[in-house]
Amino acid sequence: MKNSAPTRLHSLGQLRRVVKVGDAASGAVRTALRPIRALGFPYRKPMVPKGVVVPADPSKLGANFETGWARSSAAKAARAVVTNGPMRAFVKVVASPQVVGLDRLADLQRLEETPPVIFAPNHHSHVDTPLIITVVPEPWRSTLVVAAAADYFFDKRGKGVLAALTLNAFPIDREVTSRKSSDELRRLIEDGWSVVIYPEGGRSPDGWGQEFKGGAAYLANRTGAAVVPVFIDGTGSIYGKGMKRLKRGTTKVIFGTPLSPIEGESTRRFNARIEAAVAALGDEALTDFWTSRQRAAQGKSTKLTGPEYNGWRRQWALADHRKLGRAGVRRRQTRRWPDLG
Amino acid sequence: MPRPGFVLEVDRSTPPIMFWRGENFSLEKLPAGRSRVIYPPEPLEALSDIDGAIRNALLHPIDQDPLASQMFPGMKLTIAFDDVSLPLPKMRRPDVRQRVIEAVLDTAAQAGVDDVHIIAALGLHRRMHEYELRHALGDRVYDAFHGRGMLYQHDAEDHDNLSVIGTTDHGEVLEINKRAADSDLVVYVNINSVAMDGGWKSITTGLASYRCLSFHHNPETLENTKSLMGHRHQSALHTSVWRLGQVLKDHGPKIFQIETTLNTDMFPSPFEFINKREWEWTAKDRATFLGTTKSLNRTPIKLARKIFHGMEGPHQMTSVQAGETEAVHKLTLEHVHRQQLMEVTGQTDILTLGIPFVCPYNPDGVMNPILVMCMGLGYLFNMYRNKPLVREGGVVIMTHPCYRDFNPVHHPSYIDFFEQVLSDTTSPAEMSRKWEKQYAEDEWYKHLYRTGNAYHGVHPFYAWYWGAHGLQHAGKVIIVGGDPPTVRRLGFTPASTMDDAFEIASDVVGRSPTITHLHVPALLIADVQ
Amino acid sequence: MSRLVFSRKPARFALARVAGSIMPGAGASFGPLAIEPDEELPLPTPEWVRLKPRLAGICGSDLAMIDGTASAYFDPLVSYPFTPGHEVVADVVNPDGTAGRRVALVPVLSCITRGIDPVCPACATGQINLCERVAFGHLEPGLQTGFCSDTGGGWSNEMIAHPSQLIDVPADLSDEAAVLIEPTACAAHAAARYTGDETVILGAGTLGLLTLAAITARNNDRRGPIVVTARYAEQKRLAKQLGADVVCTSDELPRWVRSASKSLMVGDQLTCGARHVIDCVGSTESMQQALQVVAPGGDVQLVGMPSNVSLELTSLWHREVAIRGCYAYSHADFHAAIEIIRHHDLARMLSATYSLSDYTDAIAHAASAGRRGAVKIAFDMRGK
């Protein structure tokens, strides 16, 4: 906190300037609107007579938010500009992502008609979505729908429009499995759209992951689309849940081998398999491929959800776990000098 | 449905034929009525589920137990893989070796194996650069194993880490990498680009020492190798290698051989015209060809090289088989033949070859004059079974700029070989007697081979010996478009145009010789009847 | 009857330097060299004799003088105007005007020719090339005949010499062979330091080839290979003929030496190399290369005349390499030279002769001798 005083002084000056500009602007608007103000209904909203109850409109917000327009070709073009321009720049500056494992998607990419897939990443931060949108390879990037919490992203009209336009967000209800939203997602996949679903259902509250909900597995089971497990490391410390401001950092996005449900596999078992795959990727991100395969084979992959116990020990374990990600991997290179006799 | 190979009899309405000329192409008109062009079979369909096929091969090996049941905790497992000399050009990621090795590692992880070493079986080839290892094995394997010192490259001069397995009844000593020799199981991951690869040759050359290699990499053996790509009994080299293989089988470590074959879909868009037959070129192909050649004429050679060596081929796996080496290799050869074998009737007086920018010994490097000889007389000339495409005493005409240019990092001993050995003699037998020892034992070359990215000091000799049979068989070798003093140093005749070359050849084969053109790059084995 | 005269004309000298840098040998047309009528030179003492040159060679140092590239070092050691020409075979003119014995000239103007008595310590031991008095005594300064205004020079029809400067030419040697005695003596002097170890000779011009000839004529103590760098095909052919083990271009040299000396490399520097390097070029490039290929503790011998060079000497310091000059000869070297010429039949090294009046052509030919497949060019004063 050493240098907080000058910062505060600085921001004080800034604040004064902002207030001044704001005053001037609102004055101008008020002046401009004066003639309209003088006019009443029908130029303005009608006033409601006393004792009359206006029936509420059926809500157009939340899970009922209409987003079809966001998948029109005009919106698609506008989104491509946003995605490849400012969003990419933002992600690069804020998260400088390192992307690995794209070669695991090469077989699907090579097919003449690339099938739609379901990306299932873990979820720590709002940064996850722009990050994943910018690193997913073509052709999926331009046909990517993000399943977003209806109660969070679509609670206000403007927020919803923005989310639908820039992220191609699609509202899903995370509390009740609404038939409507899952049916609509299914239809989207059948139309060739790929989907990002965070199976955890929300951002991590404490840095450890949460148990996977069955959404991705269910959709895969119903549509036959493959699920691509993805592990995103590092966004939690950039803008984790509860953080007030962005902190620049580095991230790693690691794609796994696409999974398809095996004949007769239940959604629950498939879901478990997806969770295990993401956990193994987590291991791979924090250690290396061989260690993660060994641990996975022995069933010792670090669980995404962290240890069973609660309280400080949980946080303590997290710190240990994260340390692995920073320094632990970079084992000292043992150079093999040839013996020149 | 890919079409089989095709032999075109050139007539008056045949368009000019495309020839490679190093980092460029040219169109050459072949005389009508007595020329033929051999177009290799078209690329086969690749496997659709490659990873599935690999898993299946590991689960159901030939003449051996499944890989998983051969592994146990506490064992020493060594995985050796073919080096950067193939496939050419490099394949798009993920490389076949990465897929196979990841599958093997998965199996090993399941079995609780901790002690795993991954070794590049490069014999006397240059060590691979990091980016090449990453390309061949993938970043995951590289990052997991290289830092721990568990991924490294074979060193044929590290005498403390070589061990003698045994001796054949012909006195050939089998000496291979010690770690492999001491392992409980050696898994060899191969890519079988051409028919001479694979089988026992994988380990007995890839992990061998110089001493061990010199028993069959010598002028005598290679002059008696009448067909590198054909029947084994025609190849003294393979006979010797198979004898060593028997020693390996009897006294060496347990080996689990995994062999893969690729189709010949070698050039990415927009260079598909390279693989096509000229009369089937579309307007787009012709435009690409013209644009490419015209701009390459004005491109600095270094940039052109960068462009060509940067290409990644779309070729993909057509088969994978695993298990006992000989049984596996038999099946592999069937798959190679399925892609490459075609029947051709009769020999001709002249064989024409377009020499491309790359051969197995200069990935990401310079195609130096010695490699031009090796590629022409060692590889392309040998793309036959039964008998060569050109009659004994006939003429081989190659097209290549044959510049006097070397990559000093990859080919230091090649420069000296060109200046010292070739100015003295071009005879394989004589150079072997007079010069080979000095080059093989040179401390500086050893140092560069062991710590840098240089081919072993003796390697230019091997490259030259590779063409020994061709050199012996051909009455005259002409290089069209080659730098005259350089071509003369090779002992060949320079010619400025194809017509000049035919004129020069007439001294040997008369006024109206018959001509065969091998339409490379696609690989083939011409079964000459 | 005429002679060529080189006078001290600074403006001409500068012009020659410019012309020579554009086209080697062009200094002859633009420089202070001119053809003049003969002039009878006074004899410094009655001992001296008059000579009538038969053939006189054109030497590299002459060309440097003509093209204005010679070092200013020589200026006080030279007296103007002088007649060049120190590679001379001539007839002694008897007092009655008839031709006497045929001699080769030892051009060094040492104490004894200058009437200095007692002679300097170097001359006392016969090492006249190291004479300390070449600018003193009763002669004008001039380190050799051909650079002194009092003695005349070989590029004329008349000159004078001290009897100690005369070596009889055996009857079996032609004039063409005899004109090579002086340069071969130079080579014999250089070859005296040959040790038998691996040796590199840089340059295959006259000096390089003759040094090679001088070394191989001894032929009995060669332990290591002799590597010669040559630029032109004819030079390569001659070097091979004269017994070089390896003939290569200077680009190829480091690789040849490396493999011959089984050395490693650190950067561009060979870790080992040749014990003995004889630089017969004397340019910055050749000397730098000499330092690159010489073994630690080895010797670099400068036979070709260097002038202003700029060298990176760290390796010289670090590897304790010695650079040693090599100038001229003593009388003994002349007798050795006759043997060497006989052994290799060196008369073929004289490629062309010109009359004095064609001196610009002669000098142009000499300046581009290598490129034109020639070795030694000489003036022929024998008449028809």
Side-chain angles (χ1 to χ4, degrees), chain A:
Chain A
M1 301 306 269
K2 249 193 306 191
N3 47 9
S4 66
T7 314
R8 206 179 305 142
L9 272 181
H10 177 71
S11 61
L12 216 65
Q14 220 169 22
L15 193 67
R16 277 199 202 109
R17 235 174 297 140
V18 168
V19 167
K20 226 166 154 187
V21 171
D23 280 355
S26 69
V29 169
R30 219 174 294 148
T31 323
L33 288 180
R34 201 167 293 150
I36 300 172
R37 266 185 183 215
L39 304 169
F41 183 78
Y43 295 97
R44 303 188 67 186
K45 219 160 100 179
M47 281 176 285
V48 180
K50 210 171 178 184
V52 177
V53 180
V54 183
D57 275 344
S59 168
K60 290 238 174 102
L61 296 176
N64 296 325
F65 200 94
E66 184 47 55
T67 56
W69 58 271
R71 288 178 286 282
S72 66
S73 40
K76 227 171 141 176
R79 190 159 51 243
V81 172
V82 176
T83 310
N84 293 312
M87 193 186 288
R88 182 176 297 279
F90 166 78
V91 168
K92 181 137 199 242
V93 169
V94 170
S96 34
Q98 182 200 356
V99 186
V100 291
L102 285 178
D103 50 348
R104 285 164 167 155
L105 305 180
D107 277 354
L108 288 181
Q109 250 174 320
R110 215 178 49 238
L111 296 178
E112 225 147 85
E113 241 175 76
T114 317
V117 293
I118 301 165
F119 293 96
N122 59 333
H123 198 18
H124 284 281
S125 158
H126 286 316
V127 178
D128 288 345
T129 306
L131 178 59
I132 198 104
I133 288 174
T134 49
V135 302
V136 158
E138 288 290 8
W140 294 299
R141 191 189 308 147
S142 47
T143 58
L144 201 61
V145 177
V146 180
D151 55 305
Y152 189 93
F153 284 93
F154 293 94
D155 59 341
K156 293 205 180 77
R157 177 108 198 123
K159 206 168 161 188
V161 167
L162 199 66
L165 180 65
T166 57
L167 306 177
N168 200 6
F170 178 86
I172 54 165
D173 209 322
R174 47 181 165 182
E175 301 309 327
V176 286
T177 324
S178 108
R179 197 66 209 213
K180 182 172 172 289
S181 56
S182 75
D183 276 358
E184 208 143 324
L185 267 181
R186 223 176 80 195
R187 222 166 312 121
L188 284 179
I189 291 172
E190 278 156 9
D191 286 352
W193 292 86
S194 293
V195 181
V196 178
I197 293 183
Y198 298 105
E200 292 172 66
R203 288 169 297 153
S204 147
D206 61 354
W208 289 105
Q210 306 171 71
E211 219 158 86
F212 275 28
K213 297 187 170 136
Y218 170 79
L219 272 178
N221 250 341
R222 297 302 296 267
T223 59
V227 174
V228 179
V230 183
F231 185 84
I232 303 176
D233 180 46
T235 50
S237 46
I238 289 176
Y239 194 61
K241 197 169 185 175
M243 278 172 76
K244 291 275 183 295
R245 60 173 62 190
L246 275 173
K247 210 173 104 195
R248 285 175 59 183
T250 55
T251 54
K252 189 169 182 179
V253 183
I254 175 160
F255 288 88
T257 314
L259 304 173
S260 292
I262 303 166
E263 278 286 315
E265 192 176 30
S266 71
T267 300
R268 205 165 53 79
R269 297 191 73 132
F270 185 42
N271 185 43
R273 201 144 68 84
I274 297 170
E275 186 171 350
V278 176
L281 289 180
D283 257 357
E284 190 179 315
L286 297 183
T287 61
D288 61 57
F289 169 70
W290 176 233
T291 313
S292 81
R293 296 319 298 162
Q294 281 181 308
R295 285 201 203 157
Q298 292 159 11
K300 286 186 190 159
S301 293
T302 315
K303 272 202 207 152
L304 280 180
T305 50
E308 300 294 336
Y309 37 77
N310 266 322
W312 71 271
R313 282 168 64 209
R314 195 171 157 79
Q315 287 308 308
W316 192 258
L318 180 70
D320 266 358
H321 184 62
R322 297 286 316 147
K323 216 169 6 179
L324 208 63
R326 292 273 148 68
V329 231
R330 292 290 134 236
R331 228 171 264 100
R332 275 191 53 194
Q333 300 247 325
T334 45
R335 272 193 77 170
R336 284 175 53 88
W337 291 101
D339 175 19
L340 296 178

Side-chain angles (χ1 to χ4, degrees), chain C residues 277-356:
Chain C
V277 179
I278 305 175
D279 182 352
C280 299
V281 180
S283 66
T284 299
E285 294 75 32
S286 71
M287 288 178 71
Q288 199 68 66
Q289 187 162 52
L291 291 176
Q292 184 193 358
V293 300
V294 71
D299 286 306
V300 176
Q301 200 179 0
L302 297 182
V303 177
M305 183 180 74
S307 55
N308 260 323
V309 295
S310 131
L311 292 177
E312 157 66 75
L313 286 182
T314 318
S315 77
L316 171 121
W317 167 81
H318 174 228
R319 291 151 62 88
E320 297 199 340
V321 168
I323 298 186
R324 178 187 284 279
C326 178
Y327 164 68
Y329 24 64
S330 61
H331 281 83
D333 294 320
F334 275 76
H335 298 294
I338 290 171
E339 287 311 309
I340 294 164
I341 290 171
R342 276 206 186 108
H343 182 270
H344 284 295
D345 187 19
L346 288 181
R348 63 203 150 112
M349 298 291 210
L350 183 67
S351 310
T353 59
Y354 287 80
S355 72
L356 284 175

